[in-house]
Amino acid sequence: MLAITRRKVIKDLLQEHKSVTITDLAARLDVTKETIRRDLRAMERDNELIRTHGGAYVLEGVQNDIDIATRQALKIKEKEILAQKCDSLIQPGDIIFLDNSTTAWSIARKIVNRNLTVVTASLEIANILCNSPTIHFFLIGGEFSRKSMSFNGDGALRNLQRYFLDKAFISCRSVSMKYGLTDISDNAAMMHKLALEHSKQGFLVVDHSKLDNVSFTNAAPLKDIDGIVMDQPFTPEWQEYLLANNINFY
């Protein structure tokens, strides 16, 4: 199979699934993994995809639901920066909410030895924190999603309604000045909205690539959050907007 044909197949798969793995592509196209790596490098140079360890992904599309294994391998350095910043915002004894994002997994690993109460619907965060002697832990039940490794749906929302929090740390797929926080599913959006409503302070935690984009469904207007935590400095335009709307930025 010619390289141009392989890359057309890869592009079609990315449009459908938003992410691909080298192992799957090599088997599907009956070529070596090194051949696929060369294809992915060439396609990245042409701005057709973003490579990651073991595969590649694309960001375009308002409902781009990248699988969790891919998301876990993305932007590891950025997530560490975000986790460090969030850790500095948390006081001993705080009751905090962590969503089911892979960014929240990094926050959980950062706070594992702190004296806190943590509420989450994430099974992965439960695994990170369950053996901590200092964390008072509440896992929200509901319908389990293997794709996100978390609980969601009406059951999870009803469980979260019982709790009131000092701080909520949530991520989202996209954020814009015009449309606020947007995400890929109603489940995620409703969980984020409720967590913000039940928290004294709500923090949006995102890497810089999520700014000035829009996803499928609205989660909350920017006025509903108290601060945005980002891995890089905000542009002057964003700083002006956040200052004008009394939203802290970190």
Side-chain angles (χ1 to χ4, degrees):
M1 184 182 293
L2 296 174
I4 191 171
T5 305
R6 287 196 309 272
R7 292 168 192 174
K8 173 64 165 59
V9 173
I10 294 170
K11 189 172 182 179
D12 289 344
L13 288 168
L14 280 167
Q15 288 179 341
E16 180 178 359
H17 301 291
K18 308 306 179 187
S19 64
V20 292
T21 67
I22 291 172
T23 300
D24 178 68
L25 290 173
R28 188 187 293 263
L29 299 172
D30 193 26
V31 295
T32 66
K33 292 181 181 179
E34 184 53 40
T35 297
I36 296 299
R37 290 190 184 96
R38 286 198 298 269
D39 288 337
L40 297 183
R41 284 195 291 267
M43 294 175 74
E44 185 176 49
R45 286 195 297 271
D46 292 337
N47 296 315
E48 293 181 302
L49 53 77
I50 302 169
R51 285 192 303 140
T52 185
H53 179 72
Y57 70 104
V58 291
L59 286 175
E60 65 265 17
V62 296
Q63 196 166 8
N64 185 350
D65 193 5
I66 302 169
D67 70 88
I68 200 159
T70 301
R71 287 193 287 122
Q72 186 178 5
L74 297 177
K75 301 183 182 295
I76 293 173
K77 181 179 179 181
E78 289 87 343
K79 290 171 185 174
E80 176 60 28
I81 293 170
L82 292 170
Q84 184 66 48
K85 289 185 175 184
C86 290
D87 183 49
S88 70
L89 295 171
I90 299 170
Q91 302 301 315
D94 272 349
I95 302 170
I96 70 169
F97 173 84
L98 296 178
D99 70 4
N100 63 4
S101 65
T102 54
T103 300
W105 299 5
S106 297
I107 298 172
R109 285 189 284 268
K110 181 66 66 176
I111 64 171
V112 67
N113 293 315
R114 298 197 57 180
N115 180 21
L116 303 167
T117 297
V118 177
V119 179
T120 188
S122 168
L123 185 59
E124 182 63 25
I125 290 176
N127 289 331
I128 294 169
L129 297 180
C130 65
N131 291 319
S132 170
T134 59
I135 297 289
H136 192 201
F137 185 71
F138 290 81
L139 179 62
I140 297 169
E143 181 182 0
F144 182 65
S145 166
R146 290 180 180 84
K147 192 162 192 175
S148 65
M149 292 298 291
S150 66
F151 299 92
N152 54 39
D154 290 341
L157 290 170
R158 286 196 299 270
N159 276 318
L160 181 57
Q161 279 184 320
R162 300 165 55 194
Y163 302 120
F164 293 89
L165 314 148
D166 291 310
K167 299 179 175 78
F169 294 89
I170 67 170
S171 188
C172 67
R173 191 54 54 89
S174 306
V175 58
S176 72
M177 296 180 194
K178 183 175 181 180
Y179 296 109
L181 287 61
T182 53
D183 223 313
I184 58 165
S185 74
D186 283 337
N187 278 326
M190 290 164 59
M191 183 71 77
H192 288 152
K193 182 176 177 61
L194 182 58
L196 292 173
E197 289 175 352
H198 280 226
S199 300
K200 294 178 182 176
Q201 290 182 290
F203 297 95
L204 176 65
V205 188
V206 290
D207 71 76
H208 64 279
S209 68
K210 297 184 177 181
L211 264 61
D212 300 312
N213 290 307
V214 178
S215 292
F216 178 63
T217 187
N218 181 261
L222 277 168
K223 67 178 180 61
D224 285 359
I225 64 170
D226 297 283
I228 303 182
V229 183
M230 198 170 73
D231 61 306
Q232 293 185 4
F234 288 85
T235 63
E237 182 183 15
W238 266 96
Q239 290 186 33
E240 181 180 352
Y241 175 86
L242 296 172
L243 287 168
N245 288 274
N246 297 313
I247 300 171
N248 295 315
F249 51 92
Y250 307 90

